[in-house]
């Protein structure tokens, strides 16, 4: 039903655009360039393909474990074919390019992300091992009590009854940010649950016109709370669903880096050094995995003929694209089971995961600023959230705020040089 309604709406909008109606421009006032491009090329065939993709997604979600289910590969293969046909209707060579420019309305091209891939190979791959070694050394140097304190920061559920570092951090923020984030607690716009039947994960959404946060089982650490408070702050100050995806993630991850800088004066030096080495390792690991998925999807969607691809073909392609990153063995030893991981994300969110890497690198730039001048970092952060509109796009917004961008080599050098 949803696809039929969407199809009728788009066809009606197309008729309005092509008509001589005197007020037709008013109808399209709030449409973005990407939405107008979709309208110009729209056909009912797009609705058919999207409906089929929706059916494939349902079948995928019905799998107990997509990573081991033999039905995953044919589902993915058909979805790739459908997506590439949609892209061709809109005049693009592949869905990979279409997703960048239309699907997610990004204001950067794949060529910009190619720089990230290059810098990741030069700096992040060796930095990954250094960060993990630093964490191991720092952790082993802690007393048993200090190790327990660190473990609480890394994995224990947020608990407001003890030393509430989240509350103490919020008190350091500018008044507008502090008031916005505190609304989550003061107005009871949050649910924490350990119910095993509850949805996993943590997320921020709208209930009516107001933001609301949910923290499911296993997703209740202080860092997770800080992350979602960044989304909550953005939703209070702007439009949660209109915020560019990369900006929304920079708002949430930026809050994490400000929190990490704040903790430097709250924790002992030994505990803090161990904590920061682990957090930076997680950042590197996440970015390398996200870039691997991006490289894989670029390769998949550029295949001339994917008709006969099976699970082994996809796995071979993944192994090939990560060779410049140290190879599949490096990923399996230091990061994650990559051949399992990609099967969990490429169907649900095709060509999306690179946005996490882009926002991660942008948000990280707040950390060195905060360690030198917390007030300046907070001013930059607030200017990323308290916006009148998003018309300028993600890159222009962070540049205007004074935050270095995710495609600058300096941030990768900074990560590499953090550990001897």
């Amino acid at each position: 039903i949803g696809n039929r309604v969407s199809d009728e709406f788009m066809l009606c909008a197309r008729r309005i655009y092509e008509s001589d109606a005197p007020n037709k421009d008013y109808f399209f006032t709030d449409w973005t360039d990407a939405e107008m491009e979709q309208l110009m090329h729209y056909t009912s065939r797009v609705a058919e393909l999207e409906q089929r993709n929706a059916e494939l997604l349902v079948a995928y979600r019905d799998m107990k474990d997509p990573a081991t289910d033999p039905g995953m590969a044919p589902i993915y293969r058909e979805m790739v074919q459908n997506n590439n046909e949609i892209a061709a209707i809109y005049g693009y060579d592949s869905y990979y390019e279409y997703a960048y420019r239309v699907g997610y309305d990004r204001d950067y091209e794949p060529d910009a992300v190619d720089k990230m891939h290059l810098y990741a190979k030069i700096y992040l791959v060796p930095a990954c091992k250094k960060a993990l070694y630093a964490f191991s050394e720092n952790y082993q140097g802690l007393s048993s009590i200090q190790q327990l304190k660190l473990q609480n920061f890394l994995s224990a559920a947020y608990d407001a009854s003890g030393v509430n570092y989240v509350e103490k951090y919020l008190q350091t923020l500018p008044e507008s940010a502090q008031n916005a984030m505190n609304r989550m607690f003061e107005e009871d716009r949050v649910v924490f649950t350990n119910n095993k039947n509850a949805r996993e994960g943590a997320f921020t959404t709208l209930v009516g016109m107001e933001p609301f946060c949910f923290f499911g089982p296993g997703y209740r650490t202080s860092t997770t709370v800080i992350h979602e408070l960044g989304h909550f702050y953005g939703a209070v100050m702007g439009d949660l669903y209109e915020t560019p995806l990369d900006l929304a993630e920079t708002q949430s991850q930026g809050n994490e880096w400000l929190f990490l800088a704040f903790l430097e004066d709250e924790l002992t030096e030994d505990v803090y050094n161990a904590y920061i080495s682990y957090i930076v390792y997680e950042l590197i690991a996440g970015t390398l995995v996200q870039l691997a998925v991006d490289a894989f999807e670029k390769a998949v969607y550029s295949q001339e003929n994917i008709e006969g691809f099976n699970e082994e073909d996809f796995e071979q392609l993944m192994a090939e694209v990560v060779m410049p990153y140290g190879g599949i063995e490096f990923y399996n030893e230091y990061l994650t089971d990559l051949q399992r991981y990609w099967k969990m994300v490429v169907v649900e969110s095709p060509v999306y995961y690179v946005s996490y890497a882009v926002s991660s690198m942008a948000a990280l730039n707040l950390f060195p600023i905060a360690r030198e001048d917390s007030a300046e970092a907070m001013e930059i952060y607030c200017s990323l959230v308290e916006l009148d509109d998003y018309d300028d796009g993600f890159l222009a917004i962070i540049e205007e705020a004074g935050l270095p961008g995710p495609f600058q080599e300096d941030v990768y050098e900074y990560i590499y040089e953090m550990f001897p």
Side-chain angles (χ1 to χ4, degrees):
I1 294 176
N3 283 88
R4 290 200 298 271
V5 172
S6 176
D7 185 36
E8 289 296 328
F9 173 79
M10 291 295 284
L11 293 175
C12 178
R14 182 78 171 269
R15 288 194 294 271
I16 292 173
Y17 182 82
E18 294 172 348
S19 74
D20 295 325
N23 296 321
K24 70 175 185 179
D25 291 342
Y26 179 78
F27 182 84
F28 298 102
T29 299
D30 295 327
W31 287 50
T32 65
D33 291 342
E35 289 169 339
M36 289 304 298
E37 183 174 354
Q38 285 182 309
L39 181 67
M40 293 302 94
H41 294 86
Y42 187 82
T43 71
S44 290
R45 177 59 178 162
V46 172
E48 294 175 10
L49 292 167
E50 289 179 344
Q51 176 61 41
R52 178 54 184 160
N53 279 350
E55 294 168 358
L56 293 171
L57 183 57
V58 169
Y60 171 84
R61 287 174 173 169
D62 283 343
M63 293 178 178
K64 184 176 181 180
D65 184 1
T68 59
D69 195 308
M72 187 277 173
I75 283 177
Y76 184 49
R77 182 179 63 238
E78 184 178 350
M79 183 172 284
V80 169
Q81 292 171 312
N82 293 344
N83 285 339
N84 270 343
E85 185 176 344
I86 291 172
I89 291 172
Y90 288 106
Y92 290 91
D93 292 336
S94 76
Y95 182 80
Y96 183 85
E97 294 183 4
Y98 167 86
Y100 265 76
R101 296 168 183 158
V102 181
Y104 298 121
D105 197 17
R106 291 169 174 148
D107 62 343
Y108 52 86
E109 299 289 326
D111 288 351
V113 176
D114 287 344
K115 293 182 181 180
M116 293 187 69
H117 285 276
L118 175 61
Y119 299 148
K121 296 167 190 173
I122 296 172
Y123 299 109
L124 297 190
V125 171
C128 179
K129 297 179 182 179
K130 293 203 301 178
L132 192 57
Y133 177 77
F135 170 70
S136 177
E137 288 289 294
N138 290 330
Y139 184 79
Q140 294 302 323
L142 298 178
S143 68
S144 57
I145 294 177
Q146 288 175 319
Q147 288 180 354
L148 180 60
K149 188 177 184 67
L150 177 60
Q151 291 168 10
N152 285 336
F153 267 100
L154 293 175
S155 60
Y158 167 76
D159 182 2
S161 64
V163 179
N164 192 338
Y165 291 101
V166 171
E167 182 180 9
K168 293 180 71 174
Y169 163 70
L170 294 185
Q171 291 172 357
T172 69
L173 293 175
E175 185 177 2
S176 58
Q178 184 180 155
N179 290 342
M181 293 188 201
N182 271 323
R183 284 182 56 186
M184 187 185 84
F185 303 104
E186 294 170 352
E187 299 178 11
D188 200 23
R189 296 194 168 277
V190 60
V191 165
F192 295 98
T193 180
N194 284 321
N195 190 316
K196 64 179 181 180
N197 296 320
R199 175 175 170 175
E200 290 189 355
F203 59 87
T204 301
T205 187
L206 294 181
V207 176
M209 299 299 292
E210 295 291 340
F212 185 90
C213 290
F214 175 87
F215 298 89
Y219 291 84
R220 296 180 56 190
T221 67
S222 293
T223 303
T224 306
V225 172
I226 288 292
H227 181 97
E228 293 306 324
L229 278 171
H231 284 307
F232 189 91
Y233 177 28
V236 169
M237 294 298 179
D239 189 326
L240 182 66
Y241 299 134
E242 292 297 325
T243 306
L245 297 173
D246 304 275
L247 179 61
E249 287 303 317
T250 303
Q251 291 170 350
S252 58
Q253 294 175 73
N255 205 31
E256 290 184 54
W257 286 109
L258 291 181
F259 181 61
L260 185 61
F262 158 79
L263 287 174
E264 187 167 11
D265 294 330
E266 297 292 324
L267 305 177
T268 63
E269 183 178 359
D270 290 346
V271 172
Y272 185 75
N273 287 339
Y275 185 49
I276 191 174
S277 58
Y278 184 81
I279 295 299
V280 173
Y281 162 72
E282 278 197 324
L283 166 77
I284 296 170
T287 302
L288 287 176
V289 170
Q290 290 144 13
L291 289 175
V293 171
D294 180 65
F296 171 74
E297 291 186 291
K298 184 176 184 178
V300 167
Y301 282 106
S302 64
Q303 297 296 307
E304 290 186 8
N305 184 8
I306 202 173
E307 182 64 37
F309 263 54
N310 57 30
E311 183 177 9
E312 291 183 359
D313 295 316
F314 285 123
E315 289 183 349
Q316 177 61 33
L317 190 59
M318 174 59 87
E320 291 173 3
V321 301
V322 297
M323 282 297 294
Y325 296 88
I328 200 72
E329 294 80 10
F330 166 77
Y331 273 81
N332 290 341
E333 181 176 356
Y334 290 99
L335 306 175
T336 188
D337 181 351
L338 192 59
Q339 297 291 18
R340 177 181 178 83
Y341 184 89
W342 70 262
K343 297 167 189 171
M344 310 302 291
V345 300
V346 296
V347 172
E348 295 256 15
S349 308
V351 197
Y352 174 71
Y353 263 65
V354 71
S355 279
Y356 288 119
V358 170
S359 59
S360 291
M361 290 298 105
L364 172 63
N365 283 302
L366 281 167
F367 184 61
I369 299 173
R371 297 185 86 177
E372 292 292 327
D373 188 337
S374 61
E376 179 186 357
M378 289 179 182
E379 181 179 352
I380 292 173
Y381 176 65
C382 290
S383 67
L384 293 174
V385 181
E386 299 177 18
L387 300 165
D388 294 327
D389 59 60
Y390 313 106
D391 293 343
D392 292 340
F394 168 66
L395 293 180
I397 288 172
I398 64 172
E399 180 180 356
E400 186 175 345
L403 188 68
F407 308 124
Q408 297 183 22
E409 190 170 4
D410 292 355
V411 65
Y412 303 88
E413 290 179 317
Y414 174 76
I415 294 171
Y416 178 78
E417 293 170 358
M418 288 184 75
F419 307 102

